[in-house]
Amino acid sequence: VAAPVTTAVLTTMAAFLPLMLLPGIIGEFMRLVPFVVTVALVISLVEAFWVLPSHILHAKISFKNPSWSERARIRGLRKLRRIYTRILVKVMRVPALVIILAIGMFFASLASAMLGQINPSLMQDPKVSKWLVKTNFFAADPLRLFYVSIEMENGTPLEITLENVKQLQAQIRDTVAPEQLRSVVAYAGQMFTETAPFQGAHFGQVMVSLPPRAAGLHSVDEVIEGVREVVDNFAGPKKLYFIRLSGGPPVAKAISVKVRGDDVDEIRAGVAAVQTILEQSEWATDIANDDSPGLK
């Protein structure tokens, strides 16, 4: 029974291991479930192959007088073997055809999995997409919204901040196709972040909400990249950056650098140096610092 037991355990592992591919903070929590299940299944194989046989020998179980359930199992297994043997004989009479069909099914499965990646437009055609394998097993953007945060110079009146926020709102609305947007809301006086809200007349934010994910709609990241040039070229605010939300509890940014010291001017010079290094890199985006000296 080594082969069927091992196969049964491996199929269960194959059902749980994809949970480790969940994105975001939810994936960090859910990753423990498939890990623990997989470890337990591996240990069960050790139990089945090396521990259980010794238990059976120690129990001195006799198979000379089988019970009614054992006899029923033997009869059912015998019938199953006869059915399998008949099918196998028919298959073996046409080996060339069977091999061609197997190879054809293999290449058809590869095409079903790869065509959607090679030509993403095929996934938008309902007649074709039903034959293609969906590679996005878990939605990476369960919260289809993002924020564009604006921070003006300290002491900026609320009216000026609101005017800048409204201008950015109009530019974003003009840049993104109407069918890709659900709503674009602008407000001033407060700003939500990944960890805590900020309040003040120089804070503002534009919340962009997208429709539920469907065929033909862009992901949140694609919409952000589409409006990034507009945001980067928007003049006026001292700080302007995106906030991308994901499922789960609030978390900090992927990269967080803390600059500590005794002199405020030296600390701010160090922050500026770190920010310059990140801005000159080709991989860092949405760089911001939480230096809030207060209202003047």
Side-chain angles (χ1 to χ4, degrees), residues 245-287:
L245 297 181
S246 59
V251 294
K253 289 183 175 293
I255 299 175
S256 179
V257 180
K258 294 184 179 180
V259 181
R260 303 180 63 181
D262 298 325
D263 188 277
V264 175
D265 294 333
E266 290 183 357
I267 293 176
R268 288 174 178 167
V271 170
V274 173
Q275 191 165 347
T276 301
I277 294 173
L278 293 175
E279 289 173 350
Q280 292 175 352
S281 70
E282 298 180 354
W283 44 264
T285 58
D286 303 328
I287 304 167

Side-chain angles (χ1 to χ4, degrees), residues 152-172:
M152 307 293 291
E153 293 289 344
N154 291 339
T156 302
L158 182 64
E159 294 76 11
I160 302 299
T161 304
L162 183 59
E163 181 180 349
N164 280 266
V165 170
K166 288 183 176 180
Q167 290 178 5
L168 182 59
Q169 176 193 26
Q171 293 186 20
I172 293 176

Side-chain angles (χ1 to χ4, degrees), residues 23 136 138-145 210-213 217-222 244-247:
N136 185 20
F138 303 105
D141 53 353
L143 298 177
R144 289 181 54 80
L145 60 88
L210 309 181
R213 190 63 187 267
L217 296 181
H218 297 316
S219 66
V220 175
D221 293 328
E222 290 173 340
R244 167 78 158 81
L245 297 181
S246 59

